[in-house]
Amino acid sequence: MKKINSLVCVTAAFFAASTALAGNVSVFGPWLGGDQENVEAVLDGYANATGNTYSYVGSDSFEQQVRIDAEAGSSANVSVFPQPGLAADFAKLGFLTPLASGTGDWVRDNYAAGQSWVDLGTYAGPDGKDNLYGFFYKIDVKSLVWYSPENFEDAGYAVPSTMEELKAFNDQIVADGSTPWCIGLGSGGATGWPATDWVEDLMLRTQSPAVYDQWVSNEIKFNDPRVVAAIEQFGAFARNEAYVSGGSGAVSTTDFRDSPKGLFSSPPQCYMHRQASFIPVFFPEGISVGEDADFFYFPAYASSNLGKPVLGAGTLFSITNDSPEAHSLIEYLQTTEAHEIWMARKGFLTPHKGVDTSVFSDPTLKKMNDILLGATTFRFDGSDLMPGGVGAGSFWTGMVDYADGASAQSVADAIQASWDALK
Amino acid sequence: MDNIVGKKSSLSWAVNISVAVLVILWLIPTIGLLVSSFRTADQISTSGWWKAFNSNEQNIIVRTANPQTQKIIDGKYVIEGMLFSSEKEMTIRVWGVSSRAIDGYIPGETAKLTKGGEITLRGDGHYRMINENPFTGSRGMRVFVTAPMAPEFTLDNYRKVLFDPKNVEGMGKAFLSTLTVTIPATIIPILIAAFAAYALAWMQFPGRALLVAFVVGLLVVPLQMALIPLLKLHMHIGIGKGFLGVWLAHTGFGLPLAIYLLRNYMIGLPKDIIENARIDGASDFKIFMKLILPLSFPALAAFSIFQFLWTWNDLLVAKVFLLDSSGQTEVMTAKLVELLGTKGGNWEILATSAFVSIVVPLIVFFTLQKYLVRGLLTGSIK
């Protein structure tokens, strides 16, 4: 009988939920598990501040589902896009509502490198006119190299501060009979993406930001010698048998979630791992960031005159089903409180200049945020900005081919061909 | 003389062996999954499941006690303790104090520490650190130990999936949601298909053959093609996302196979009894209820197993037609995906949830399985 009662309850809940309550905002995002608890804490803050209610649903196949919902007209009020490229497509198709006027000015004034965040969130609408559609919130820094300080101490190594030092350091580790890097490109259907981050980071370290921007928008071709050179720079790390744990053949088959574990094994399989700020989630149980694991900035060439470029990524909030509550949520995200709630939890970085950085749950996050705030150049993950067929397709598969031994030129040619086919 | 009825073929041993090989091949992944569901994430990522049963030698890193626990004995600073918790019995083969030389010492030897002082480690994990000066640092020192380890299994994964206070409520609700989806989504298509199959098998009307061909043709339409147009239709006529929508979708996607299967079975029923019933004045409805339905039970059971398993395991249709932004109607498959985390890769949860969600389909299968083979053969032999 009890079972039947709860069955009735569920059915009742369904009917209640299907008639939209006044003052409710529905949010659809890519976060699940621990991240879902975090975003719900922020949304709780919104509910307390405004008296509105919210409902959040996460999905691991966000990119596909958001499209189905948009096509069918069943979108949530607010959708959280992990890639600006997808949001730009949506804006063009008319699925997004422009943010309230003044939001752009606020971002320009309150975010570090504010104009670049406005530019990343501004797309052409269905009428071809540019509007601000996306509000960036929660940033990942990608230019990080993770290591175990105690292993460095045992071996008497110091953290390299320039790319020249890093390259000499690679050879030193090999000369000492160890392996410098753990690199894994495996990620199910997205296999290859970690290598695109490498190439982007090395582009920023060998070419000016302007060239990077032209590359991302295909104003210079993918098979341009400058891009091919950046791919080959990645090859200098990943295709050197002695540099990579398991040999270069293991790069494309090792899962990116498993590869950092080599840092902490006994004896260590590698000394360094280049990956974004979210990677500690995949460290073995009991590893505490700041003590067992630490990171340093993936260094730039001292000889080049490019400063300290930082590669990052981020999620943006967009309105996919217009309502006053959706706008009030975007407004709430402009308060320092909305940033500090997640800062006090885990895995959150923000370019908001007004926040109190002492609320970060651990000092390493503060250190990462300092890298973000201290960047001379900040560039968004290029593959997220390229059209989906390239940035989430041929660029990934091309990098797997390259890691498996294809030449950089042929891989770049193939990627450019796939880009031309999309035009 | 090999093909005399009733005599076993001389090649029956080949059949038996190939059946045995096929069964083992099919079972291997399942067994691997079952073993993995009792292992921790770290075990899964470091060694294969087939190694789970042997005690094998492992290199592990353990820490000595915190420097704050040091005592002064005879004017020297001393830290004493056990590296392993008491319930684990281990015998250390070699050990070391630096990641560069993890096998530098054998039990009983004393190692010099780079930061001053020395450590002596016994084979059972008991250690003693002595230093002229106080030990410093916020944490204990790393000790690298190589020891044979007994196989270890854990129930933690099942605890996390089923009883974790954070998701136990959600899991219960998801279980009910799944039942709410599955039961009507199994019954509705069977009802409709049984009527349709009778009509297509035993009622005379023009265009019947074409209609059957059309239904068979629908079998090859991939459901992915229909997702967006169907959802658009649902939104347009006001059904929206919800249980009603998902029932209709499952019914629609299940009907071609159901009609095809049941029609083929019904057409194989003896013609005489149906004609007799007609002559006795029974209406079509009466024939259907009194004769066809009881006789078709194996086919109905077979199809209901198919449909039940498919709707139970379904994630795609549920995500498209059911999961709205309220989050109140989450089915079990969606809940399990959620447990996998934003970037996936929690293999231990994946393995465990596979076995959790398999329980109900197994019960259904074993209660109805005697009809399954009979039902599967419908129409293929007369």
Side-chain angles (χ1 to χ4, degrees):
Chain A
M1 196 58 208
K2 203 175 169 206
K3 205 172 187 177
I4 296 172
N5 275 340
S6 25
L7 203 72
V8 172
C9 283
V10 172
T11 325
F14 146 66
F15 282 114
S18 60
T19 55
L21 295 164
N24 184 63
V25 58
S26 53
V27 182
F28 182 50
W31 297 306
L32 295 170
D35 283 339
Q36 175 162 358
E37 286 166 34
N38 295 333
V39 71
E40 282 174 354
V42 175
L43 292 169
D44 280 334
Y46 163 75
N48 286 337
T50 57
N52 290 332
T53 53
Y54 73 88
S55 54
Y56 172 81
V57 174
S59 171
D60 65 323
S61 47
F62 175 87
E63 290 86 345
Q64 291 82 19
Q65 234 177 310
V66 76
R67 192 172 282 273
I68 292 174
D69 277 332
E71 296 272 358
S74 56
S75 297
N77 295 126
V78 174
S79 297
V80 188
F81 289 88
Q83 298 129 349
L86 185 62
D89 287 351
F90 268 52
K92 201 167 191 181
L93 292 167
F95 293 142
L96 301 185
T97 308
L99 302 182
S101 57
T103 312
D105 295 331
W106 184 90
V107 173
R108 217 168 278 129
D109 296 342
N110 289 284
Y111 272 15
Q115 186 58 46
S116 63
W117 295 111
V118 174
D119 293 344
L120 284 167
T122 302
Y123 317 115
D127 52 0
K129 268 199 346 210
D130 278 352
N131 273 310
L132 180 69
Y133 285 100
F135 181 85
F136 276 88
Y137 176 85
K138 189 178 187 296
I139 311 301
D140 279 320
V141 169
K142 298 208 162 195
S143 306
L144 303 177
V145 179
W146 295 85
Y147 70 106
S148 159
E150 284 171 309
N151 287 348
F152 268 46
E153 205 177 289
D154 282 345
Y157 294 151
V159 168
S161 56
T162 64
M163 188 58 91
E164 288 86 350
E165 276 178 40
L166 180 67
K167 291 196 158 168
F169 184 46
N170 284 340
D171 292 328
Q172 187 195 345
I173 296 176
V174 173
D176 292 346
S178 308
T179 312
W181 295 94
C182 278
I183 304 175
L185 306 187
S187 177
T191 295
W193 72 259
T196 65
D197 287 1
W198 273 90
V199 173
E200 288 153 14
D201 247 340
L202 290 163
M203 263 312 268
L204 286 173
R205 277 156 186 73
T206 51
Q207 302 298 332
S208 69
V211 173
Y212 181 89
D213 292 340
Q214 287 169 338
W215 170 54
V216 167
S217 58
N218 208 214
E219 280 163 46
I220 68 168
K221 301 280 179 200
F222 210 109
N223 48 3
D224 187 276
R226 290 169 285 190
V227 184
V228 174
I231 297 176
E232 275 164 352
Q233 290 248 342
F234 165 61
F237 288 89
R239 279 174 55 165
N240 186 324
E241 284 295 330
Y243 279 5
V244 192
S245 167
S248 60
V251 168
S252 60
T253 51
T254 307
D255 196 288
F256 86 96
R257 293 162 281 227
D258 291 337
S259 68
K261 295 188 167 97
L263 291 173
F264 310 106
S265 63
S266 162
Q269 288 164 14
C270 58
Y271 281 85
M272 293 176 285
H273 180 68
R274 199 217 71 96
Q275 190 50 281
S277 47
F278 65 78
I279 198 67
V281 185
F282 300 108
F283 287 169
E285 233 172 285
I287 295 292
S288 82
V289 177
E291 292 188 305
D292 298 307
D294 207 345
F295 60 87
F296 57 85
Y297 168 70
F298 186 56
Y301 284 99
S303 55
S304 72
N305 206 6
L306 297 168
K308 282 193 161 191
V310 170
L311 183 73
T315 48
L316 59 133
F317 281 62
S318 284
I319 298 175
T320 39
N321 197 348
D322 198 11
S323 78
E325 290 79 20
H327 284 287
S328 75
L329 175 61
I330 302 289
E331 238 164 69
Y332 175 73
L333 293 177
Q334 295 165 19
T335 63
T336 52
E337 179 192 297
H339 295 255
E340 284 167 2
I341 290 175
W342 203 333
M343 283 163 71
R345 299 169 79 92
K346 242 185 166 176
F348 184 84
L349 299 176
T350 177
H352 194 318
K353 290 184 290 193
V355 295
D356 174 8
T357 51
S358 67
V359 303
F360 271 120
S361 60
D362 65 80
T364 50
L365 280 176
K366 187 171 164 5
K367 206 171 122 190
M368 276 182 213
N369 220 48
D370 289 344
I371 291 180
L372 185 63
L373 295 175
T376 52
T377 312
F378 180 88
R379 277 297 176 276
F380 205 87
D381 186 336
S383 61
D384 285 350
L385 299 170
M386 292 172 189
V390 177
S394 58
F395 195 1
W396 291 349
T397 50
M399 291 320 293
V400 174
D401 293 342
Y402 178 67
D404 285 341
S407 80
Q409 186 64 50
S410 72
V411 164
D413 288 343
I415 298 172
Q416 180 58 41
S418 77
W419 204 328
D420 290 337
L422 284 174
K423 281 176 185 167
Chain B
M1 300 298 265
D2 272 349
N3 47 2
I4 289 179
V5 176
K7 189 171 182 285
K8 267 194 180 171
S9 157
S10 56
L11 277 175
S12 65
W13 58 269
V15 174
N16 289 347
I17 289 175
S18 43
V19 167
V21 168
L22 281 178
V23 167
I24 290 168
L25 271 181
W26 272 97
L27 276 179
I28 285 174
T30 319
I31 294 168
L33 214 54
L34 182 66
V35 173
S36 297
S37 72
F38 291 104
R39 307 181 78 205
T40 64
D42 291 346
Q43 283 174 322
I44 291 176
S45 68
T46 50
S47 67
W49 59 268
W50 54 91
K51 288 187 184 156
F53 300 102
N54 337 341
S55 80
N56 49 357
E57 199 166 77
Q58 286 186 15
N59 304 323
I60 54 168
I61 305 174
V62 276
R63 273 184 199 279
T64 64
N66 196 303
Q68 281 157 8
T69 61
Q70 62 192 322
K71 295 186 202 109
I72 304 174
I73 299 172
D74 300 335
K76 287 181 174 175
Y77 294 89
V78 174
I79 302 176
E80 272 188 304
M82 275 291 290
L83 287 180
F84 311 122
S85 56
S86 51
E87 68 249 36
K88 275 192 213 163
E89 276 202 18
M90 284 205 264
T91 317
I92 297 167
R93 193 173 62 78
V94 288
W95 60 284
V97 289
S98 159
S99 58
R100 309 290 284 184
I102 63 162
D103 52 0
Y105 304 93
I106 57 166
E109 282 188 320
T110 301
K112 284 246 178 298
L113 301 178
T114 45
K115 285 184 182 169
E118 55 188 35
I119 179 169
T120 311
L121 180 65
R122 289 210 309 249
D124 62 356
H126 188 92
Y127 65 90
R128 185 182 167 92
M129 295 165 74
I130 307 178
N131 196 354
E132 303 278 340
N133 305 310
F135 288 101
T136 53
S138 60
R139 297 191 303 167
M141 196 191 76
R142 294 195 298 178
V143 179
F144 299 82
V145 167
T146 304
M149 301 251 249
E152 209 184 324
F153 295 98
T154 172
L155 284 172
D156 279 353
N157 301 332
Y158 285 91
R159 222 166 278 145
K160 187 166 176 203
V161 170
L162 290 174
F163 305 114
D164 187 335
K166 267 193 286 186
N167 55 39
V168 69
E169 194 193 344
M171 209 47 156
K173 213 154 114 187
F175 181 75
L176 287 175
S177 296
T178 301
L179 283 181
T180 317
V181 171
T182 312
I183 294 171
T186 309
I187 293 173
I188 301 172
I190 289 189
L191 272 182
I192 300 175
F195 284 117
Y198 173 76
L200 292 175
W202 291 107
M203 285 165 77
Q204 299 292 335
F205 57 90
R208 192 176 69 161
L210 273 180
L211 210 54
V212 173
F214 181 65
V215 169
V216 173
L218 281 180
L219 276 175
V220 298
V221 176
L223 74 91
Q224 286 84 347
M225 253 174 58
L227 293 178
I228 292 177
L230 204 54
L231 183 60
K232 254 185 187 163
L233 177 75
H234 283 190
M235 299 306 289
H236 188 68
I237 59 176
I239 299 173
K241 286 184 154 201
F243 286 114
L244 184 59
V246 81
W247 292 336
L248 289 178
H250 275 308
T251 304
F253 294 134
L255 269 181
L257 179 68
I259 295 175
Y260 174 69
L261 210 71
L262 293 178
R263 179 207 167 259
N264 280 7
Y265 188 87
M266 286 179 187
I267 213 160
L269 294 174
K271 207 174 175 183
D272 316 358
I273 49 167
I274 292 158
E275 280 173 355
N276 280 347
R278 283 231 172 92
I279 290 164
D280 289 346
S283 66
D284 272 320
F285 185 69
K286 200 151 199 178
I287 296 172
F288 175 74
M289 294 302 285
K290 297 275 175 188
L291 287 173
I292 302 283
L293 265 195
L295 285 172
S296 310
F297 191 72
L300 294 174
F303 174 73
S304 60
I305 291 179
F306 279 142
Q307 180 74 2
F308 184 86
L309 292 183
W310 146 243
T311 48
W312 183 272
N313 289 327
D314 164 70
L315 178 65
L316 179 66
V317 174
K319 275 199 161 178
V320 174
F321 293 99
L322 178 62
L323 298 182
D324 56 9
S325 49
S326 72
Q328 294 297 315
T329 53
E330 210 166 38
V331 288
M332 262 178 77
T333 42
K335 186 81 196 165
L336 295 176
V337 169
E338 220 171 79
L339 287 180
L340 292 180
T342 308
K343 296 204 161 55
N346 299 351
W347 302 118
E348 77 286 5
I349 298 294
L350 190 68
T352 311
S353 13
F355 278 89
V356 168
S357 68
I358 217 173
V359 171
V360 175
L362 276 186
I363 294 171
V364 171
F365 180 78
F366 282 117
T367 39
L368 293 178
Q369 59 117 1
K370 62 175 172 177
Y371 303 108
L372 184 64
V373 177
R374 252 197 284 168
L376 273 181
L377 296 174
T378 49
S380 61
I381 42 172
K382 292 210 175 175

